[in-house]
């Protein structure tokens, strides 16, 4: 398993290009299952999870490959089964359920296990698809769904705005008979990107980005060429990197319009974030960093995927801050590792109290999940001395060429191979 070796204390200076969004690319490439044609995607990030999605499409009979930042998915005879060995490596594989039921009237998808940040059940996905006429059995760890008469439009209200649930049902509803109304849906920019892709293939979706989405089912979706939106979480991670190292970074392709909650909090914490014709410029203000409180919420609130990274900024700020994680039940796995680097953080239930103003010191630390790993890299960049971030396969899931991008702006970071 690889690690990152980081010598901290270097203010980062220079330009970083933000890659395509992992959390838009995964559902959008999966949506190719619903398209009865070849499809081309561009601005696709070269990530582990993208490779896993491509592997799943090939298993399902859709020849697909990544070349540079482009994925071409060929049309082909669809299978119906997503195997356990693949699904266990990527929970988002469950997103093939909706499009497979819509196109084939049947799907066998291994029930995704939990993961480090929580149980992550898929009950909302299943109950919504049942309202559209699907019937499910749990069979030897597989969700086996059938809808022999095809899916029918329905009026669905989610218990809470689930991102994956909204995506699965959106893909299913495009080919259902009649109208589907979805209420209390997720409003994340990645949902909007997915809906825009499906509409480019001939779907009839309205209201994406609001709390109610209406879909008129169509007979068939045709192919198209589609560019994936930029990654707002990768961009937010680099904005924090400028803050914790006391440097100045210019981000190209930064989707700042999708990042208001994060940018507002960064500015409240004392960072200067400026939109310029060349991109988004980020640096610490003259007053330095100060603690601010954060509650993670569904979009347009502060994203849970930025909680760990922002916590590192709070460790480097003067004063205290209270961070509440309201989306996942176990998303403070980075805290103990940060404490080993000298951070003063106390967790009580879903809250973490951070007392800043203490210098972080380098240490060997362990990634537990994608964003926790990214946070430990940020802490290593800020810390005095050497940090070894282990199990960075978690980080490789969501950050394209992270060490290369950071080295190019002055970071002393390199990947080391470890004997497994
Ligand atoms: C997506 O996960 C993202 N993943 C996550 O990003 C992100 O943290 C999450 O949305 C919230 O924004 C992708 O887009 C691939 P949810 P998803 O369904 O779809 C519970 C990252 O770091 N829930 O909105 O799984 C669930 O357990 C990853 O890039 C149910 O209880 O998120 C969780 O507590 C991590 N039943 C909460 O809702 C359900 O049927 C949010 O889940 C579905 C979800």
């Amino acid at each position: 398993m690889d690690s990152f070796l980081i010598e901290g204390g270097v203010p980062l200076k220079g330009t970083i290009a933000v890659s395509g969004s992992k959390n838009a690319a995964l559902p959008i490439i999966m949506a190719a299952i619903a398209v009865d044609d070849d499809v081309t995607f561009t601005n696709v990030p070269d990530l582990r999870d993208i490779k896993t999605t491509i592997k799943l499409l090939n298993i399902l009979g859709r020849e697909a490959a990544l070349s540079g930042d482009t994925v071409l998915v060929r049309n082909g005879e669809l299978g119906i089964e997503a195997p356990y060995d693949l699904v266990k490596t990527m929970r988002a594989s469950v997103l093939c359920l909706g499009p497979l039921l819509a196109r084939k009237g049947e799907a066998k998808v291994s029930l995704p296990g939990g993961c480090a940040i929580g149980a992550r059940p898929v009950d909302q996905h299943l109950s919504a698809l049942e309202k559209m006429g699907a019937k499910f059995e749990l069979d030897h760890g597989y969700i086996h769904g059938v809808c022999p008469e095809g899916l029918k439009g329905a009026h669905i209200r989610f218990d809470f705005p689930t991102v994956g649930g909204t995506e699965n049902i959106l893909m299913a509803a495009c080919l259902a008979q009649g109208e589907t109304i979805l209420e209390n849906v997720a409003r994340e920019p990645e949902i909007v990107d997915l809906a825009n892709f499906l509409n480019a293939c001939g779907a009839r979706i309205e209201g994406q980005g609001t709390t109610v989405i209406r879909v008129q089912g169509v007979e068939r979706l045709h192919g198209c060429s589609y560019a994936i939106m930029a990654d707002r979480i990768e961009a937010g991670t680099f904005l924090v990197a400028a803050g914790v190292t006391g440097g100045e970074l210019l981000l190209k392709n930064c989707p700042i319009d999708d990042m208001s909650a994060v940018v507002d909090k960064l500015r409240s914490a004392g960072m200067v974030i400026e939109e310029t014709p060349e991109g988004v410029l980020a640096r610490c203000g003259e007053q330095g960093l100060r603690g601010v409180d954060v509650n993670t919420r569904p979009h347009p609130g502060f994203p849970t995927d930025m909680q760990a990274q922002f916590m590192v900024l709070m460790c480097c700020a003067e004063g205290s801050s209270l961070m509440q994680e309201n989306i996942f039940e176990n998303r403070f796995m980075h805290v103990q590792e940060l404490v080993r680097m000298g951070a003063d953080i106390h967790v009580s239930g879903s809250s973490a109290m951070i007392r800043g103003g203490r210098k972080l010191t380098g240490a060997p630390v362990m990634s537990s999940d994608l964003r926790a790993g990214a946070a430990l890299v940020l802490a290593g960049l800020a810390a005095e001395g050497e940090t070894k971030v282990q199990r960075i396969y978690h980080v490789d899931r969501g950050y394209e060429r992270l060490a290369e991008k950071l080295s190019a702006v002055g970071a002393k970071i390199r990947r080391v191979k470890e004997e497994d």
Side-chain angles (χ1 to χ4, degrees):
M1 287 186 243
D2 294 1
S3 300
F4 279 141
L5 215 46
I6 303 166
E7 187 64 38
V10 178
L12 302 186
K13 285 195 189 323
T15 301
I16 297 182
V18 177
S19 297
S21 163
K22 165 181 89 81
N23 289 350
L26 293 186
I28 288 174
I29 295 172
M30 204 73 84
I33 293 170
V35 178
D36 179 15
D37 216 336
D38 292 357
V39 199
T40 301
F41 302 107
T42 57
N43 198 35
V44 179
D46 182 1
L47 301 170
R48 255 184 76 207
D49 279 5
I50 296 296
K51 294 186 174 78
T52 305
T53 304
I54 288 169
K55 200 185 295 178
L56 176 56
L57 285 183
N58 281 292
I59 290 170
L60 290 172
R62 299 295 297 267
E63 188 193 320
L66 174 67
S67 167
D69 77 344
T70 301
V71 172
L72 170 59
V73 181
R74 294 267 184 225
N75 203 356
E77 188 52 38
L78 266 179
I80 61 152
E81 182 167 331
Y84 170 71
D85 283 350
L86 186 133
V87 173
K88 73 182 178 189
T89 66
M90 185 184 72
R91 306 179 31 69
S93 309
V94 74
L95 292 176
C96 72
L97 197 56
L100 277 179
L101 283 170
R103 287 226 37 214
K104 300 290 289 179
E106 186 177 6
K108 273 190 85 172
V109 180
S110 169
L111 191 60
C115 73
I117 62 178
R120 301 186 71 182
V122 290
D123 54 297
Q124 295 286 301
H125 303 230
L126 301 182
S127 54
L129 287 165
E130 282 169 342
K131 288 196 182 87
M132 298 175 76
K135 301 250 180 301
F136 293 103
E137 278 178 6
L138 185 55
D139 173 23
H140 295 90
Y142 279 74
I143 304 165
H144 184 202
V146 290
C147 54
E149 292 82 44
L151 292 173
K152 293 181 178 47
H155 191 152
I156 292 160
R157 180 179 172 73
F158 287 111
D159 292 351
F160 55 83
T162 154
V163 170
T166 303
E167 290 164 345
N168 235 335
I169 305 316
L170 203 49
M171 293 186 276
C174 288
L175 297 173
Q177 296 146 38
E179 178 182 55
T180 298
I181 298 171
L182 295 175
E183 290 195 68
N184 196 24
V185 289
R187 300 169 58 191
E188 273 68 6
E190 294 77 23
I191 304 279
V192 176
D193 212 26
L194 171 62
N196 292 344
F197 163 67
L198 291 165
N199 281 345
C201 296
R204 294 173 56 199
I205 303 167
E206 292 173 346
Q208 56 270 33
T210 73
T211 53
V212 181
I213 295 179
R214 285 175 183 277
V215 186
Q216 307 301 330
V218 295
E219 280 297 308
R220 172 183 176 271
L221 295 178
H222 58 70
C224 75
S225 179
Y226 192 80
I228 303 293
M229 65 177 278
D231 193 318
R232 61 192 172 103
I233 305 299
E234 184 199 22
T237 304
F238 290 133
L239 294 178
V240 170
V244 299
T245 62
E248 180 172 272
L249 290 176
L250 178 71
L251 298 190
K252 302 194 94 49
N253 317 323
C254 178
I256 191 164
D257 294 343
D258 291 327
M259 302 169 65
S260 308
V262 171
V263 171
D264 290 352
K265 283 294 178 184
L266 290 170
R267 285 174 173 150
S268 305
M271 286 196 69
V272 176
I273 313 271
E274 280 172 284
E275 288 188 74
T276 77
E278 295 72 37
V280 173
L281 198 57
R283 63 177 183 280
C284 278
E286 274 69 50
Q287 315 297 322
L289 297 171
R290 53 187 173 275
V292 291
D293 295 344
V294 169
N295 262 295
T296 65
R297 297 278 183 223
H299 194 79
F302 189 96
T304 173
D305 292 349
M306 277 297 300
Q307 178 256 107
Q309 301 91 307
F310 197 88
M311 188 180 284
V312 179
L313 190 78
M314 293 297 92
C315 293
C316 302
E318 285 303 324
S320 298
S321 53
L322 183 68
M323 295 193 74
Q324 301 258 6
E325 173 54 60
N326 301 302
I327 305 295
F328 289 104
E329 66 268 28
N330 187 33
R331 204 169 195 177
F332 284 142
M333 308 274 275
H334 44 287
V335 168
Q336 283 321 310
E337 298 303 295
L338 293 174
V339 166
R340 295 183 55 246
M341 296 176 72
D344 180 350
I345 308 171
H346 293 275
V347 170
S348 169
S350 63
S351 302
M353 169 61 81
I354 301 108
R355 288 190 182 81
R358 293 169 54 155
K359 189 77 188 131
L360 294 177
T361 55
V365 289
M366 186 83 74
S367 304
S368 52
D369 57 87
L370 166 54
R371 306 301 173 184
L376 295 175
V377 170
L378 293 172
L381 294 171
E384 174 265 318
E386 182 179 271
T387 296
K388 183 174 187 180
V389 182
Q390 298 169 40
R391 296 190 182 171
I392 54 165
Y393 62 85
H394 289 292
V395 181
D396 291 339
R397 300 189 60 167
Y399 290 88
E400 184 182 43
R401 296 182 303 104
L402 183 60
E404 293 82 345
K405 289 186 177 185
L406 290 172
S407 303
V409 291
K412 291 181 184 157
I413 177 173
R414 64 188 175 87
R415 180 185 289 264
V416 290
K417 297 262 177 234
E418 296 291 318
E419 291 313 310
D420 286 0

